[in-house]
């Protein structure tokens, strides 16, 4: 059953006699159910002829003659689908609307090609989405056919809206999705993380669009990134604007029948990014957080980022990554306690299915390094990443510092520091970061301090501060750019010898059992 309504009969005749394939005929007859599109090409062709020559008629072997006999043919041109012996049906004349997509690119061979491409790419996936990029001139040809079909319907005092026509992409999906599904053994869904994309082009008919640029100049503005101004969007916009008369003058009906089918420029597989989060400790005072490269020259042999991502990249087989963290520490600062939250975006990962045990093993591999340790390593959603940056300014951080004083000190010289609560300080952007941060004066709060006397020139200072406080500058004063500071309060010159981050108070990612 074709499910074509009787009222569309003249539209079907018109298109079929102009070089349009049976599947495109279904589309312009507004057949909104997948089954007829999935009929074998030859069967569909036969059914269509039966429909046009009144249901139930037995077709003679040479339908071309039959067609002319029944005077259904209104054009003088050759009837493209008329000769329907099996050889010709296997290699039908290329459709002037879909440029062969609903003919040649629905074949089992093409689906096999897709399957081999996916298989050799080596991805793990549970379902797939199949985006298709069509050449923009298809819209021009469709527009042309729509105007003609509209005219036919008007003769019966009926309307045919463009939106009533089944889109090529929709019909193509109906046919090819089940075929690919069967090959891959998974379902096609509209929101899959795994994408198998096909890009079609058809050079012979590229010029179809060009007249639009002379009629609707403002629709085609050159943009930096696009190779051609004739993007699908611009063409659709121009077709929306152009007057019917102008269109028909420049692009007479019927569109030419192409000699070749659309070419497949590319079949590309891609997996959406996977995000992995955790917390890291850094035990080295010679390890930067991210690769430290100045003028193309490495200053330190490794980094926290590299020690973590090397293992992840290997296991997830990703193309690239993006590392982010809740704040950062200087190269000579250790991060202790429960560590600093971090997240890594793995771009286009080929392996994505990991059990909790797999993640534990991976964490163990990373932890073979003596410079860093990670914990709570887990796969998280993109959305969850926001928790890491949320309220970064309001959070508190705890540090411990080894302070040196020029003036000899006794235990009693430190007591006043233990008593200071919610100390407000003003920090001008430190000299050491001025090259990458704008000059500004920021107010920060030192919530509490606790001291531990070491000897007459050294003491340990434990601080709980507002996030974003520059601790080194709070110790030595940065030439008076941080006020007050430890030196100014103790009326001596002070410096910081060692600094450790004791805790980063961000409750994310969730703690995991060991
Ligand atoms: Zn077609």
């Amino acid at each position: 059953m074709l499910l074509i309504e009787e009222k569309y009969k003249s539209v079907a005749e018109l298109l079929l006699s102009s070089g349009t394939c049976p599947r495109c005929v279904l589309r312009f007859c507004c057949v909104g159910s997948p089954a007829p599109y999935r009929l074998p090409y030859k069967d569909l062709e036969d059914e269509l002829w039966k429909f046009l020559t009144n249901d139930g008629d037995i077709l003679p072997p040479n339908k071309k003659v039959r067609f002319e006999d029944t005077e259904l043919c209104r054009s003088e041109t050759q009837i493209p689908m008329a000769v329907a012996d099996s050889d010709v049906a296997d290699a039908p004349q290329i459709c002037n609307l879909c440029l062969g997509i609903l003919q040649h690119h629905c074949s089992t061979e093409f689906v096999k090609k897709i399957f081999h491409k996916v298989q050799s790419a080596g991805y793990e996936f549970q379902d797939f989405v199949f985006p298709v990029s069509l050449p923009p001139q298809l819209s021009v040809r469709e527009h042309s056919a729509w105007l003609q079909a509209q005219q036919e319907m008007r003769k019966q005092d009926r309307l045919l809206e463009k939106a009533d026509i089944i889109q090529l992409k929709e019909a193509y999906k109906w046919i090819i999705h089940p075929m690919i599904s069967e090959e891959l053994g998974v379902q096609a869904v509209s929101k899959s993380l795994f994408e198998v994309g096909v890009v079609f082009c058809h050079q012979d008919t590229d010029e179809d669009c060009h007249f639009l640029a002379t009629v609707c100049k403002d629709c085609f503005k050159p943009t930096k990134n696009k190779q051609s101004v004739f993007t699908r969007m611009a063409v659709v916009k121009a077709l929306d604007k152009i007057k019917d008369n102008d269109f028909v003058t420049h692009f007479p009906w019927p569109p030419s029948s192409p000699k070749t089918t659309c070419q497949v420029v590319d079949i590309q597989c891609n997996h959406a990014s996977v995000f992995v989060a955790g917390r890291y400790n850094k035990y080295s005072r010679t390890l930067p957080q991210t690769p430290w490269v100045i003028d193309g020259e490495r200053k330190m042999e490794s980094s926290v980022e590299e020690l973590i991502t090397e293992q992840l990249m290997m296991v997830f087989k990703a193309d690239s990554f993006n590392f982010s963290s809740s704040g950062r520490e200087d190269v000579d600062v250790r991060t202790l306690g429960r560590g600093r939250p971090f997240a890594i975006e793995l771009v286009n990962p080929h392996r994505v299915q990991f059990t909790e045990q797999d993640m534990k093993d991976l964490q163990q591999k990373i932890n073979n390094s003596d410079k860093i340790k990670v914990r709570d390593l887990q796969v998280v959603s993109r959305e969850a990443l926001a928790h890491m940056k949320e309220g970064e300014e309001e959070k508190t951080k705890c540090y411990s510092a080894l302070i040196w004083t020029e003036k000899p000190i006794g235990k009693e010289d430190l007591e006043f520091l233990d008593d200071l609560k919610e100390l407000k300080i003003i920090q001008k952007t430190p000299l050491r970061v001025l090259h990458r941060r704008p000059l500004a004066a920021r107010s920060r709060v030192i919530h509490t301090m606790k001291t531990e006397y070491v000897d007459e020139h050294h003491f340990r200072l434990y601080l709980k501060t507002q996030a974003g406080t520059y601790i080194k500058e709070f110790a030595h004063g940065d030439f008076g750019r941080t006020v007050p500071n430890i030196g100014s309060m103790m009326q001596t010159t002070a410096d910081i010898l060692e600094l450790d981050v004791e805790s980063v108070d961000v409750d994310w990612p969730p703690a995991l059992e060991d």
Side-chain angles (χ1 to χ4, degrees):
M1 279 295 287
L2 292 184
L3 308 173
I4 301 181
E5 289 177 58
E6 198 63 29
K7 62 181 179 188
Y8 291 115
K9 207 163 187 170
S10 63
V11 172
E13 283 171 39
L14 168 81
L15 294 178
L16 208 53
S17 62
S18 315
T20 299
C21 80
R23 286 179 176 136
C24 284
V25 170
L26 293 179
R27 297 198 294 121
F28 278 80
C29 294
C30 308
V31 176
S33 147
Y37 294 88
R38 289 176 185 157
L39 285 173
Y41 198 84
K42 175 87 168 49
D43 296 358
L44 171 59
E45 215 178 354
D46 288 349
E47 286 283 329
L48 203 53
W49 281 96
K50 268 191 228 167
F51 170 72
L52 290 180
T53 55
N54 292 324
D55 282 350
D57 278 6
I58 298 158
L59 290 172
N62 186 343
K63 274 175 283 187
K64 182 184 165 192
V65 176
R66 170 77 180 189
F67 195 59
E68 281 167 348
D69 285 348
T70 54
E71 292 175 7
L72 282 169
C73 176
R74 48 184 75 237
S75 103
E76 294 298 307
T77 53
Q78 276 274 317
I79 304 148
M81 295 302 161
V83 189
D85 57 51
S86 59
D87 290 336
V88 181
D90 285 341
Q93 182 181 347
I94 292 153
C95 173
N96 60 354
L97 295 190
C98 66
L99 302 175
I101 289 176
L102 296 185
Q103 301 169 301
H104 295 271
H105 297 293
C106 299
S107 65
T108 39
E109 276 145 57
F110 183 60
V111 171
K112 281 259 188 308
K113 205 166 140 185
I114 293 174
F115 172 69
H116 289 307
K117 180 83 188 187
V118 173
Q119 210 179 31
S120 66
Y123 283 88
E124 276 180 355
F125 52 91
Q126 285 171 320
D127 42 40
F128 70 97
V129 60
F130 184 69
V132 176
S133 164
L134 301 172
Q137 60 267 37
L138 283 177
S139 303
V140 177
R141 289 170 171 256
E142 298 248 340
H143 191 79
S144 172
W146 171 59
L147 291 180
Q148 294 301 315
Q150 206 182 28
Q151 248 177 43
E152 285 302 321
M153 296 309 281
R154 277 206 194 112
K155 288 179 195 163
Q156 310 170 42
D157 283 329
R158 293 178 200 271
L159 282 174
L160 179 67
E161 299 291 343
K162 211 171 190 175
D164 298 335
I165 298 163
I166 305 301
Q167 300 240 329
L168 174 56
K169 272 189 187 178
E170 189 72 10
Y172 188 45
K173 223 163 68 181
W174 286 340
I175 303 165
I176 202 153
H177 273 186
M179 297 171 79
I180 303 176
S181 265
E182 200 178 306
E183 281 292 336
L184 295 181
V186 294
Q187 288 298 306
V189 296
S190 55
K191 275 192 185 148
S192 173
L193 298 173
F194 181 58
E195 190 177 285
V196 185
V198 177
V199 178
F200 288 110
C201 81
H202 195 263
Q203 278 171 356
D204 297 352
T205 57
D206 270 346
E207 287 182 5
D208 285 358
C209 302
H210 291 187
F211 77 93
L212 287 171
T214 55
V215 186
C216 307
K217 281 195 188 76
D218 50 333
C219 292
F220 300 95
K221 299 234 168 72
T223 53
K224 270 184 221 155
N225 308 327
K226 300 278 177 191
Q227 283 184 327
S228 159
V229 293
F230 298 102
T231 61
R232 203 175 161 77
M233 285 264 282
V235 167
V236 168
K237 200 170 143 198
L239 290 172
D240 234 27
K241 278 181 147 185
I242 193 168
K243 291 199 180 71
D244 291 355
N245 284 342
D246 285 342
F247 183 89
V248 180
T249 327
H250 288 94
F251 199 84
W253 175 259
S256 62
S257 289
K259 290 186 183 65
T260 57
T261 181
C262 274
Q263 285 128 16
V264 178
V265 186
D266 204 6
I267 302 174
Q268 208 154 37
C269 301
N270 186 66
H271 196 290
S273 291
V274 168
F275 297 85
V276 171
R279 306 174 76 95
Y280 73 80
N281 290 125
K282 172 162 102 71
Y283 300 119
S284 164
R285 295 198 190 278
T286 55
L287 185 71
Q289 192 203 41
T290 51
W292 191 0
V293 181
I294 298 173
D295 295 332
E297 200 187 313
R298 274 202 91 113
K299 295 292 172 191
M300 295 278 175
E301 70 174 64
S302 189
S303 64
V304 173
E305 178 188 290
E306 284 159 286
L307 290 174
I308 299 174
T309 52
E310 265 163 26
Q311 299 292 339
L312 287 177
M313 289 290 285
M314 237 184 316
V315 171
F316 282 77
K317 298 192 190 314
D319 285 355
S320 59
F321 67 84
N322 293 304
F323 181 91
S324 58
S325 62
S326 177
R328 57 189 300 153
E329 65 281 309
D330 289 341
V331 57
D332 57 348
V333 173
R334 300 188 302 175
T335 295
L336 309 174
R338 288 195 56 80
R340 184 186 296 281
F342 68 89
I344 294 158
E345 174 182 11
L346 293 149
V347 179
N348 195 16
H350 289 55
R351 277 206 61 207
V352 291
Q353 290 161 10
F354 296 101
T355 62
E356 277 176 30
Q357 189 55 48
D358 292 335
M359 291 306 285
K360 274 188 185 154
D361 295 346
L362 181 55
Q363 177 171 302
Q364 193 47 52
K365 261 190 205 155
I366 297 169
N367 288 347
N368 284 337
S369 157
D370 53 0
K371 291 179 177 151
I372 62 156
K373 286 268 177 294
V374 300
R375 76 183 75 214
D376 304 333
L377 194 73
Q378 56 197 285
V379 173
V380 296
S381 68
R382 182 192 286 271
E383 291 71 35
L385 251 57
H387 298 305
M388 198 171 71
K389 298 283 176 191
E390 235 165 51
E392 223 175 28
E393 291 279 291
E394 293 84 56
K395 298 281 177 182
T396 59
K397 287 193 178 173
C398 295
Y399 299 89
S400 77
L402 182 62
I403 308 285
W404 167 86
T405 58
E406 189 179 41
K407 189 177 78 177
I409 50 165
K411 279 183 186 167
E412 65 285 356
D413 295 317
L414 301 174
E415 279 164 6
F416 80 100
L417 290 175
D418 293 330
D419 296 334
L420 281 175
K421 303 279 177 262
E422 305 301 322
L423 174 68
K424 273 211 176 71
I425 62 168
I426 303 291
Q427 296 199 297
K428 280 190 193 156
T429 306
L431 289 172
R432 66 187 167 96
V433 300
L434 255 185
H435 63 283
R436 56 186 164 92
R437 298 264 165 87
L439 176 61
R442 291 182 194 82
S443 159
R444 288 287 182 266
V445 177
I446 312 289
H447 298 300
T448 57
M449 283 183 276
K450 203 165 89 47
T451 56
E452 210 175 270
Y453 184 79
V454 178
D455 60 36
E456 59 179 15
H457 286 288
H458 299 92
F459 69 96
R460 207 157 254 294
L461 180 64
Y462 297 94
L463 311 105
K464 187 172 182 181
T465 74
Q466 183 183 357
T469 307
Y470 293 106
I471 306 301
K472 287 176 179 172
E473 281 69 18
F474 174 61
H476 59 60
D478 201 22
F479 303 99
R481 300 166 64 84
T482 288
V483 283
N485 57 64
I486 294 289
S488 72
M489 290 189 291
M490 294 180 71
Q491 290 169 339
T492 181
T493 300
D495 204 356
I496 184 164
L497 303 182
E498 283 175 11
L499 180 63
D500 293 327
V501 177
E502 294 287 350
S503 78
V504 181
D505 300 327
V506 174
D507 294 332
W508 188 88
L512 301 179
E513 281 172 42
D514 286 335

